[in-house]
């Protein structure tokens, strides 16, 4: 573990000033969290200026409040409008004030610590805050420090990029019905904009041929205006009055026309139409069917229609499928499971005292908690079969079992904060100073039995006094 000490600098007139370079302290705190993440195989976090500002704003706000009045985590994470330094009731509002593009953000806070090392170590001793720092999905963080208040705001740059520059593939669009086939809004809009004047529906000639053929109304109108002499009945015989006047059209001529209609005479389609588009337009049924039958892959609507409104721009609705893909890309890069304390870690604290909310509300203190998190992309099913913690006696080098341990999981977490793949074990007595501990966990991962093993060493009492 890295320790950065404050520096005393000699100033004129013999007065000593404590030189606290806030930007350096922020960088040190970020580096400390990144050391924890690297120890378990997670990606490191980058610094975010927007999150730095929101964290600093909240740290300044909290530094003006009597800390003994902060009785719950909600008190620490919230702000009250009208109080000095108010920038937002929630971390979501405070990051939005600083133009952070989405509200998938989280926050860790420590109060009363002298430096960034003691702050991060305190937060890592608490299960809920530990899991916040060891989140699989985050990749950037902002740090705010004011007096003895440390605020950490965490977020995701990949989601920020989508919220700033969303593509059609990531946004959840409305599904349009193309004769029973779901198509995207983009395809539907292109379809509507492609309608030409000649594509607009025109009704067929009002009289249908005896053989069922429909004739083009424009063709027949022109014929009625200038009928060929061969079509006119002169004398006796069968005829039709088609033109709404006294003209008698030979039955034989019309029947021949219906059997062998020349170019332009036969009506295309069956006389049916659909009214489509936002500005309603009538198109022949055959016209729409042709286009619905030939929808390209890019135009097919494959989303569920469900979406997340994670972006601060309300109109940007990220589809569930796009969000799942984004999460999977991040999970793929991470380890299958995260043990804490990490394997071969040194200088581990011996005790856990209190966290808000408190995972051990009935106890004043316990030993430092051991935890396991499983990657939900790589571990679909997990079941803990047996947990075992042993320590090595410093003098005899013999190994002894730690018996009194309380296990916490989603099923029995008193605060309902642990997720399905998060597990913690609290030794009910403090761990021994300067002692090697080894952990053995029998688990069933994706229906296959495995044994996970690692070890760590606690701080010596002399290190603690330093």
């Amino acid at each position: 573990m890295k320790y950065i000490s404050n520096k005393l600098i000699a100033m004129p007139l013999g007065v000593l000033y404590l030189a606290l370079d806030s930007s350096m302290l922020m960088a040190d705190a970020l580096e400390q969290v990144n050391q924890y993440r690297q120890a378990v195989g997670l990606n490191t976090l980058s610094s975010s200026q927007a999150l730095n500002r929101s964290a600093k704003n909240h740290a300044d706000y909290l530094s003006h409040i009597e800390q003994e009045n902060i009785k719950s985590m909600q008190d620490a994470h919230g702000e009250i409008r009208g109080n000095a330094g108010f920038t937002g009731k929630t971390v979501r509002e405070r990051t939005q004030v600083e133009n952070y593009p989405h509200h998938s953000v989280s926050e860790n806070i420590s109060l009363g610590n002298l430096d960034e090392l003691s702050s991060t170590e305190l937060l890592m001793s608490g299960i809920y805050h530990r899991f916040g720092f060891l989140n699989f999905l985050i990749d950037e963080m902002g740090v705010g420090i004011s007096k003895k208040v440390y605020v950490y705001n965490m977020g995701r740059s990949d989601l920020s990029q989508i919220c700033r520059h969303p593509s059609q593939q990531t946004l959840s669009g409305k599904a349009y019905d193309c004769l029973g086939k779901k198509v995207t809004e983009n395809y539907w809009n292109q379809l509507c904009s492609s309608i030409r004047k000649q594509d607009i529906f025109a009704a067929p000639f009002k009289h249908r041929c005896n053989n069922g053929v429909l004739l083009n109304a424009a063709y027949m109108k022109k014929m009625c205006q200038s009928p060929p002499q061969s079509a006119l009945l002169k004398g006796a015989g069968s005829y039709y009055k088609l033109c709404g006047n006294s003209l008698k059209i030979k039955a034989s001529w019309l029947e021949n026309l219906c059997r062998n209609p020349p170019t332009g005479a036969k009506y295309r389609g069956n006389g049916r139409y659909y009214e489509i588009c936002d500005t309603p337009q009538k198109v022949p049924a055959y016209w729409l069917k042709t286009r619905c039958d030939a929808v390209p892959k890019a135009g097919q609507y494959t989303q569920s229609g469900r979406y997340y409104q994670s972006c601060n721009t309300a109109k940007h609705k990220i589809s569930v499928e796009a969000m799942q893909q984004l999460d999977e890309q991040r999970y793929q890069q991470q380890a299958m499971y995260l043990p804490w304390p990490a394997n071969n870690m040194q200088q581990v604290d011996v005790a856990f005292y209190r966290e808000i909310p408190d995972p051990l509300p009935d106890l004043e203190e316990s030993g430092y908690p051991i935890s396991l998190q499983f990657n939900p992309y790589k571990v679909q099913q997990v079941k803990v079969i047996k947990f075992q913690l042993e320590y090595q006696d410093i003098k005899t080098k013999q190994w002894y079992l730690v018996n009194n341990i309380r296990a916490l999981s989603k099923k029995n977490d008193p605060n309902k904060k642990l997720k399905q793949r998060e597990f913690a074990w609290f030794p009910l007595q403090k761990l021994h100073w300067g002692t090697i501990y080894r952990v053995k966990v029998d688990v069933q991962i994706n229906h296959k039995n495995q044994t996970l093993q690692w070890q760590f060493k606690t701080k010596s009492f002399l290190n603690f006094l330093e």
Side-chain angles (χ1 to χ4, degrees):
M1 295 296 180
K2 184 175 180 181
Y3 179 76
I4 307 294
S5 62
N6 296 331
K7 298 178 180 179
L8 286 173
I9 299 178
M11 301 297 290
L13 303 179
V15 179
L16 292 178
Y17 289 85
L18 190 63
L20 295 175
D21 184 332
S22 61
S23 62
M24 184 180 72
L25 294 178
M26 289 160 58
D28 291 340
L30 175 62
E31 181 181 351
Q32 194 63 53
V33 173
N34 278 335
Q35 287 185 25
Y36 300 145
R37 290 178 64 85
Q38 285 179 305
V40 292
L42 283 172
N43 64 292
T44 57
L45 308 179
S46 300
S47 178
S48 162
Q49 293 305 310
L51 294 179
N52 279 332
R53 293 192 299 270
S54 65
K56 183 62 167 66
N57 291 340
H58 192 48
D60 289 341
Y61 173 90
L62 290 175
S63 69
H64 290 97
I65 296 176
E66 293 295 330
Q67 292 181 19
E68 57 268 22
N69 293 333
I70 299 175
K71 297 178 181 179
S72 70
M73 211 61 207
Q74 186 175 358
D75 291 337
H77 288 289
E79 292 186 7
I80 299 174
R81 190 179 300 276
N83 283 355
F86 175 87
T87 54
K89 291 174 61 178
T90 64
V91 61
R92 169 178 172 176
E93 291 179 4
R94 295 190 291 272
T95 55
Q96 188 172 1
V97 164
E98 295 301 334
N99 295 317
Y100 196 67
H102 65 84
H103 50 258
S104 289
V105 290
S106 57
E107 186 173 66
N108 272 352
I109 298 172
S110 74
L111 306 172
N113 295 110
L114 295 176
D115 55 49
E116 66 284 353
L117 178 63
S118 61
S119 167
T120 56
E121 283 190 341
L122 174 69
L123 291 168
M124 288 299 289
S125 73
I127 285 298
Y128 307 129
H129 293 81
R130 177 190 300 176
F131 289 159
F133 277 151
L134 301 184
N135 187 296
F136 285 99
L137 298 175
I138 60 174
D139 68 346
E140 58 184 358
M141 186 170 78
V143 182
I145 305 171
S146 184
K147 298 180 181 177
K148 295 181 180 180
V149 176
Y150 288 77
V151 177
Y152 306 85
N153 285 173
M154 293 156 282
R156 301 178 58 174
S157 64
D158 52 355
L159 184 55
S160 293
Q161 180 66 20
I162 286 180
C163 290
R164 290 191 184 101
H165 308 288
S167 65
Q168 288 296 328
Q169 288 73 30
T170 58
L171 293 176
S172 176
K174 179 181 176 182
Y176 286 80
D177 181 15
C178 199
L179 299 183
K181 184 182 294 184
K182 289 184 177 181
V183 298
T184 65
E185 184 175 12
N186 189 48
Y187 179 80
W188 189 255
N189 289 338
Q190 290 177 357
L191 184 74
C192 289
S193 63
S194 71
I195 299 173
R196 302 167 299 176
K197 185 176 180 180
Q198 58 266 38
D199 296 327
I200 300 298
F201 173 79
F205 186 59
K206 58 185 177 180
H207 297 289
R208 182 186 289 267
C209 295
N210 290 336
N211 63 358
V213 170
L214 291 173
L215 298 173
N216 186 285
Y219 180 92
M220 293 302 291
K221 180 179 179 181
K222 186 175 180 181
M223 185 279 297
C224 288
Q225 291 172 345
S226 300
Q229 290 299 313
S230 58
L232 298 174
L233 178 66
K234 297 177 182 177
S238 299
Y239 64 88
Y240 293 96
K241 281 194 171 183
L242 303 175
C243 299
N245 52 30
S246 60
L247 291 178
K248 297 178 181 180
I249 305 299
K250 290 180 182 178
S252 58
W253 183 90
L254 181 61
E255 289 166 2
N256 182 63
L257 178 70
C258 290
R259 284 194 301 270
N260 303 292
T263 303
K266 187 176 180 181
Y267 180 81
R268 186 177 178 185
N270 56 10
R272 294 176 56 208
Y273 66 87
Y274 292 98
E275 192 170 73
I276 63 173
C277 305
D278 292 336
T279 302
Q281 299 190 69
K282 293 180 180 179
V283 294
Y286 73 85
W287 184 93
L288 186 59
K289 184 177 186 306
T290 300
R291 283 149 182 81
C292 292
D293 287 346
V295 178
K297 188 174 182 179
Q300 296 172 14
Y301 188 89
T302 57
Q303 299 176 356
S304 63
R306 296 178 294 123
Y307 57 84
Y308 292 99
Q309 285 191 295
S310 300
C311 301
N312 290 331
T313 303
K315 66 178 181 179
H316 293 166
K317 299 175 181 178
I318 309 300
S319 72
V320 167
E321 292 75 16
M323 200 67 189
Q324 288 174 341
Q325 185 178 14
L326 199 67
D327 289 350
E328 286 179 4
Q329 289 172 351
R330 183 60 52 78
Y331 284 127
Q332 284 175 340
Q333 302 165 7
Q334 313 292 16
M336 177 178 282
Y337 60 90
L338 311 180
W340 193 266
N343 189 33
N344 294 321
M345 181 169 280
Q346 307 292 308
Q347 304 297 321
V348 174
D349 283 333
V350 299
F352 164 76
Y353 295 102
R354 186 168 179 262
E355 183 177 18
I356 304 175
D358 195 346
L360 302 178
D362 58 322
L363 299 177
E364 291 295 324
E365 66 176 26
S366 76
Y368 191 82
I370 292 90
S371 65
L372 264 178
Q373 296 164 261
F374 291 89
N375 186 324
Y377 177 78
K378 297 179 179 180
V379 178
Q380 289 75 49
Q381 176 269 342
V382 61
K383 179 181 179 181
V384 175
I385 300 170
K386 182 180 179 182
F387 174 85
Q388 181 176 295
L389 178 65
E390 296 177 301
Y391 69 93
Q392 187 181 47
D393 186 89
I394 296 176
K395 294 181 179 179
T396 67
K397 304 302 180 182
Q398 294 294 313
W399 289 93
Y400 295 93
L401 190 66
V402 178
N403 292 310
N404 296 323
I405 295 175
R406 182 178 298 180
L408 284 189
S409 66
K410 181 180 179 180
K411 291 182 179 179
N412 67 338
D413 175 17
N415 301 295
K416 308 299 182 184
K417 292 180 72 67
L418 294 183
K419 298 176 184 177
Q420 185 176 354
R421 297 172 182 84
E422 295 176 343
F423 304 88
W425 295 270
F426 291 80
L428 297 187
Q429 284 78 41
K430 288 196 292 188
L431 304 184
H432 300 295
W433 296 104
T435 301
I436 296 174
Y437 282 81
R438 63 185 183 191
V439 184
K440 179 180 177 182
V441 187
D442 294 329
V443 292
Q444 187 183 81
I445 299 176
N446 298 336
H447 305 288
K448 293 180 65 175
N449 291 339
Q450 297 185 41
T451 298
L452 310 180
Q453 298 184 74
W454 71 96
Q455 66 179 34
F456 60 90
K457 187 175 182 179
T458 58
K459 291 179 178 179
S460 70
F461 188 67
L462 292 178
N463 290 139
F464 171 72
L465 292 178
E466 292 175 1

